[in-house]
Amino acid sequence: MTTNPPRAGRREWTALTVLMLPLLLVSMDVSVLYFAIPQISADLDPSGTQQLWIFDIYGFVLAGLLMTMGALGDRIGRRRLLLVGAAAFGAASLLAAYAHTAETLIAARAVLGIGGATLMPTTMALVRTMFTDPGQRAKAIGLWSGVMTAGIALGSVMSGVLVEHFWWGSVFLVNLPAMVLLLVLGPVLLPESKNPSPGRFDLWSVPLSLAAVLPVIYGVKELAAQGWNVRYVVSITVGLLFAALFVHRQRTSASPMISPALFRGHGFTPALVLNTVSAFGMMGSAYFTTQYLQSVLGKSALEAALWSLLPSVLIGAAAPVAAQLAQRGVERAYLVTAGFTIAACGYGLLALAGTDSLWLVLAACGVLAAGIVVVMSQLTDLALSSAPVEKAGAASSLLETGTEFGGALGMAALGSIGTAVYRHGIPSDTPAPAQETLGGALAVAAELPGRAGDALATAAREAFTDGMQGAAIAGALLLLAAAGLAALGLRHMPVRTEAETADTENAGQADSLSPSGV
């Protein structure tokens, strides 16, 4: 006999608010160095390679360790790992703020990535365990998705404001109050939860997962930034080979890091695949819109960041509306299909933009992001509710890893389309830097006299806008295809999954999952 799951009260919602703070900061740290790097370069004098690592090491370490930390949280306790990660994140933030050498800052950013890898899947897994009522969990995950998406945009703006009034280390010190608050309130408000029978931790899966994730992420990101290069293709190939070894070990190990049983959960695999596609769409557009605001419209970096906050208004409303519709009985397949369709319309608007279309581009970004947030919130809820509660950390880490892959692929694939169209639109007799990127063309144009420079700058801006339009059309077609897959693959998806039914039927075991919890 099944019973209705208990509803969360004020304590759980307060705990969710506390969890949102570190989540916001982890997502902000992806973009928080955008405006700080000139001051960092002046103070620390990093080499070109060191400057790249200051930017990239955080994302690489975070992506590489997500699966490890998700599985570890299931074994040692998600609250425990969250608090350890918060302490590490705070300590690394302090170290980064007062770093006197580039090497120290790189090391601090690496530790920040380790801390971020513990915080992201554990916060999502704790949401799964705190909110057992499907309607409340959908609302909580909607908030989680909105905060995660908004944090990336907010990071660049906060970076600009802090650097303008303080020194570059302040972009890291802003992390400390939230981490201290989490360390103080976390033990009081957050329940401890873990897998009661986790088995032995598979240490060999840790290097295999790193060797699978890092070369692929590196190769895809470099292809997007630098263009075609055999070295990057080899990196991706090596990563895929290690991924095959990782999958083989998970299928044959007696105690795998990522249980293959997760993929047998009704709805988990479609949710994972479609969530990756949604990240592809989100990050693929960001590749163009940031350059459009600065290099086509001529906005300063801080002006561009402030303008980019406007679409967040739609983001904040999208997930709660979707959660309300789900509570009123609208099938998940319809919501996800509608979300992908809305996002495709955003790309459609972007395809109409000219070289002076600020408001149209901002509207396109808002519509696209709102659709993607609807998709992500619904698919995250589906994936977590499809997974047994004792494997919530592993399920969360797979979703986050898919998001990292999807985002990198989106920037590479759509960026390649835009670059190809751009190069076709630039006269062949222009200098090589002008044929590579819009930034290169504007630099060359600044050195040319009079009308020649103006003509090259105008041609480059038009070619970039044409490339953005071509990439937007490709993105719209992909998201429409994803909408079709969602309509077919998520049809008749039950409101309560088998995992949720098992949770309520075995409610008597809850004490073993939360020995010191709520």
Side-chain angles (χ1 to χ4, degrees):
M1 179 178 179
T2 63
T3 58
N4 291 328
R7 291 179 61 81
R10 181 179 301 174
R11 181 173 182 174
E12 287 78 13
W13 288 107
T14 304
L16 177 65
T17 303
V18 173
L19 285 178
M20 293 300 99
L21 289 173
L23 176 66
L24 180 66
L25 294 172
V26 169
S27 59
M28 283 170 54
D29 259 49
V30 174
S31 56
V32 78
L33 289 185
Y34 283 175
F35 298 111
I37 204 65
Q39 286 191 18
I40 291 174
S41 297
D43 285 356
L44 305 184
D45 193 25
S47 66
T49 300
Q50 287 175 329
Q51 183 168 307
L52 287 175
W53 278 113
I54 289 171
F55 262 113
D56 292 338
I57 191 67
Y58 174 79
F60 287 151
V61 172
L62 186 148
L65 289 176
L66 280 170
M67 286 190 288
T68 297
M69 294 305 180
L72 185 62
D74 287 342
R75 284 167 169 79
I76 70 170
R78 292 144 197 157
R79 183 181 68 182
R80 178 182 298 174
L81 184 62
L82 176 72
L83 297 178
V84 170
F89 200 87
S93 298
L94 191 62
L95 178 63
Y98 293 100
H100 294 296
T101 65
E103 293 84 355
T104 302
L105 183 56
I106 291 170
R109 290 278 288 171
V111 178
L112 281 170
I114 297 172
T118 68
L119 295 171
M120 292 175 71
T122 50
T123 54
M124 190 187 292
L126 284 167
V127 169
R128 167 72 171 96
T129 57
M130 289 191 302
F131 296 91
T132 55
D133 177 76
Q136 289 187 318
R137 186 178 60 248
K139 288 182 180 179
I141 289 176
L143 289 171
W144 193 98
S145 302
V147 168
M148 187 70 191
T149 305
I152 297 175
L154 186 59
S156 59
V157 177
M158 180 170 288
S159 171
V161 173
L162 289 173
V163 169
E164 188 170 328
H165 294 92
F166 304 99
W167 95 111
W168 61 264
S170 61
V171 303
F172 297 108
L173 290 182
V174 73
N175 296 334
L176 294 180
M179 294 305 157
V180 170
L181 188 65
L182 177 60
L183 289 171
V184 171
L185 297 181
V188 178
L189 295 173
L190 298 174
E192 182 59 284
S193 64
K194 61 182 179 179
N195 188 343
S197 303
R200 187 167 55 90
F201 187 72
D202 184 13
L203 289 176
W204 280 107
S205 288
V206 176
L208 281 177
S209 66
L210 285 169
V213 173
L214 292 182
V216 176
I217 292 287
Y218 170 78
V220 169
K221 285 189 174 183
E222 290 302 307
L223 280 175
Q226 308 296 336
W228 177 265
N229 189 298
V230 174
R231 184 171 70 240
Y232 307 144
V233 176
V234 170
S235 178
I236 293 172
T237 303
V238 169
L240 292 176
L241 290 174
F242 276 107
L245 292 174
F246 177 76
V247 170
H248 176 72
R249 183 162 186 87
Q250 304 317 297
R251 297 180 66 180
T252 56
S253 174
S255 181
M257 176 190 289
I258 303 295
S259 173
L262 276 174
F263 296 91
R264 294 194 287 270
H266 190 48
F268 184 82
T269 300
L272 183 61
V273 172
L274 291 172
N275 189 70
T276 302
V277 174
S278 68
F280 181 108
M282 175 68 84
M283 295 307 296
S285 69
Y287 177 85
F288 294 96
T289 54
T290 53
Q291 293 186 70
Y292 180 87
L293 291 173
Q294 293 184 69
S295 298
V296 176
L297 297 183
K299 305 291 184 186
S300 70
L302 184 55
E303 284 178 323
L306 290 171
W307 278 111
S308 67
L309 283 180
L310 284 181
S312 301
V313 176
L314 290 177
I315 295 174
V321 169
Q324 286 291 331
L325 292 173
Q327 274 194 297
R328 295 183 180 183
V330 178
E331 286 190 24
R332 203 187 306 267
Y334 295 151
L335 291 172
V336 175
T337 301
F340 273 124
T341 304
I342 292 169
C345 290
Y347 266 126
L349 290 174
L350 197 61
L352 300 175
T355 55
D356 188 20
S357 303
L358 172 62
W359 290 104
L360 181 60
V361 168
L362 292 177
C365 291
V367 172
L368 172 63
I372 293 297
V373 168
V374 169
V375 170
M376 284 186 164
S377 63
Q378 290 298 306
L379 293 177
T380 300
D381 184 35
L382 173 60
L384 291 183
S385 60
S386 300
V389 68
E390 65 270 16
K391 300 184 186 300
S396 303
S397 68
L398 281 173
L399 278 173
E400 290 300 326
T401 303
T403 299
E404 294 291 329
F405 274 121
L409 286 171
M411 295 181 71
L414 297 187
S416 297
I417 293 172
T419 299
V421 175
Y422 170 83
R423 289 173 179 170
H424 181 74
I426 291 291
S428 58
D429 58 348
T430 56
Q435 297 183 38
E436 293 295 322
T437 64
L438 174 58
L442 295 178
V444 171
E447 297 177 357
L448 295 177
R451 293 183 178 179
D454 293 339
L456 177 57
T458 300
R461 290 187 174 103
E462 290 176 350
F464 177 85
T465 304
D466 290 342
M468 183 175 71
Q469 292 170 350
I473 292 171
L477 292 175
L478 174 70
L479 294 182
L480 287 175
L485 288 175
L488 294 173
L490 302 181
R491 281 187 308 173
H492 312 304
M493 194 65 66
V495 175
R496 296 180 67 203
T497 65
E498 295 171 8
E500 288 178 323
T501 302
D503 289 345
T504 55
E505 287 178 344
N506 296 291
Q509 298 179 9
D511 291 339
S512 67
L513 293 175
S514 301
S516 59
V518 184

